[in-house]
Amino acid sequence: MMSRAARTATVGAGLSLAVALTGAGLEARAASATGSASATVIGDIASLPITIRFQASPVELVAGGVRVRLTDDRSGPGAGSAFGVTLIGVDETGLASFSIAGATTSSYVVRTSAAETSGPAGLAPDGASPNRAEAGLIYPAEVLAEGQGISIAVSQSGGSPRELTVMVHYN
Amino acid sequence: MNTTARLSLLAALLAGAGMVSTSAMAATAVGTANATVLTPIAITAGTALDFGTFAALTGGSVIIAAAGGRSATGTVFLSPGNAGSPASFNVTGDGALTFAVTYPGSFNVTHTNTINTMAVTVTGAATGALVAGAATLPVGGTLTVASGQLAGSYSGTYTMTVEYN
């Protein structure tokens, strides 16, 4: 005959088994995993945009039936090299060149205002042909060495004054 | 009938009655017991949730859809140089069972300076179904970007849980 102590031990073992089975059941029904998330924020040195006004002076170019008029309007606060962007010039094809100041090797992006340009435009590093793209284009972040510039091609149809805002960001 | 004969007859009757009584009081049958042991459900992280590269300007949010695609609100400027991507998790388990997905609450990704943060919420399907014991769970998210958010790389982790329905 089983003693009282032996019966107690047996019951205890049974409860332990039940608890263990319950725990195993929960583990089998659910599982977790840890994922990761990341983001990269690009800095903004040109806190104020350079505004290039399409008007009669000082630059007016006609190339390929497209008239481009540019004025480097940087008379407001933050004008000059502190902007980090300098307008170098515009060639006969309407390609406006800018230089990026202040950075060593850096990633950067350029945004032009969509509503203020018409027709295709493109951006490319110095020495490269701009990709043709819709107005309001974005230039992908790429490495840009200090002293190098980017070229911005802008096409505009019609003669009414318009504005093109160029903003440069880099980290 | 003499006494000896009477006793023999009585003994025989008692013995017979006993046998009848035994077969009428008990019976047996064979039953069956079945059990199905489920393959435990498991989940492992696949690709990471990447919000890509962007400029904060005056802030807003960056949204990565679970099905793919990136958008922004506010003045956040998305750079196409790195368009980001949704996360994926690999779920394994039993046959064609369905499972519920539990997403974490808001968590932070932290700048490499360990100080600056951005809040993230992850989203996706509330349930999933295994096909031949496997399923891929895509996960998107929304990143809240503050005005003038400090430039740099941010990263963080979060926990996803799946459970059989």
Side-chain angles (χ1 to χ4, degrees), chain A residues 27-44 109-111 138-141 167 169 171, chain B residues 40-41 43 45 48-49 51-54 57 77-80 151-152 154-164:
Chain A
E27 290 172 5
R29 288 191 56 80
S32 298
T34 299
S36 60
S38 63
T40 301
V41 180
I42 298 172
D44 180 5
V109 291
V110 175
R111 178 175 63 174
I138 300 166
Y139 188 73
M167 301 180 72
H169 313 269
N171 59 6
Chain B
I41 194 168
I43 182 171
L49 176 60
F51 288 94
T53 301
F54 55 87
L57 301 185
F77 165 56
L78 302 177
S79 166
Y154 292 72
S155 62
T157 60
Y158 59 101
T159 300
M160 295 286 299
T161 301
V162 291
E163 183 175 8
Y164 281 137

Side-chain angles (χ1 to χ4, degrees), chain B residues 1-78:
Chain B
M1 186 178 292
N2 59 28
T3 302
T4 300
R6 288 176 181 170
L7 288 174
S8 297
L9 177 59
L10 179 60
L13 288 172
L14 288 173
M19 292 174 63
V20 170
S21 173
T22 299
S23 60
M25 292 290 292
T28 59
V30 176
T32 58
N34 297 309
T36 301
V37 180
L38 293 178
T39 301
I41 194 168
I43 182 171
T44 57
T47 56
L49 176 60
D50 184 3
F51 288 94
T53 301
F54 55 87
L57 301 185
T58 59
S61 63
V62 179
I63 302 161
I64 297 288
R70 185 173 69 153
S71 60
T73 65
T75 61
V76 170
F77 165 56
L78 302 177

Side-chain angles (χ1 to χ4, degrees), chain A residues 36-139:
Chain A
S36 60
S38 63
T40 301
V41 180
I42 298 172
D44 180 5
I45 63 159
S47 57
L48 295 174
I50 289 176
T51 300
I52 302 167
R53 299 186 185 283
F54 290 82
Q55 56 189 30
S57 62
V59 179
E60 181 172 12
L61 298 166
V62 179
V66 176
R67 176 178 295 178
V68 179
R69 296 167 177 166
L70 297 174
T71 295
D72 180 8
D73 180 10
R74 290 180 294 168
S75 59
S81 60
F83 259 109
V85 182
T86 302
L87 175 63
I88 296 174
V90 183
D91 68 13
E92 69 279 4
T93 66
L95 201 66
S97 297
F98 296 80
S99 67
I100 308 297
T104 55
T105 300
S106 173
S107 297
Y108 70 99
V109 291
V110 175
R111 178 175 63 174
T112 60
S113 52
E116 296 164 353
T117 59
S118 60
L123 298 172
D126 275 351
S129 298
N131 296 318
R132 308 308 293 181
E134 295 300 319
L137 61 102
I138 300 166
Y139 188 73

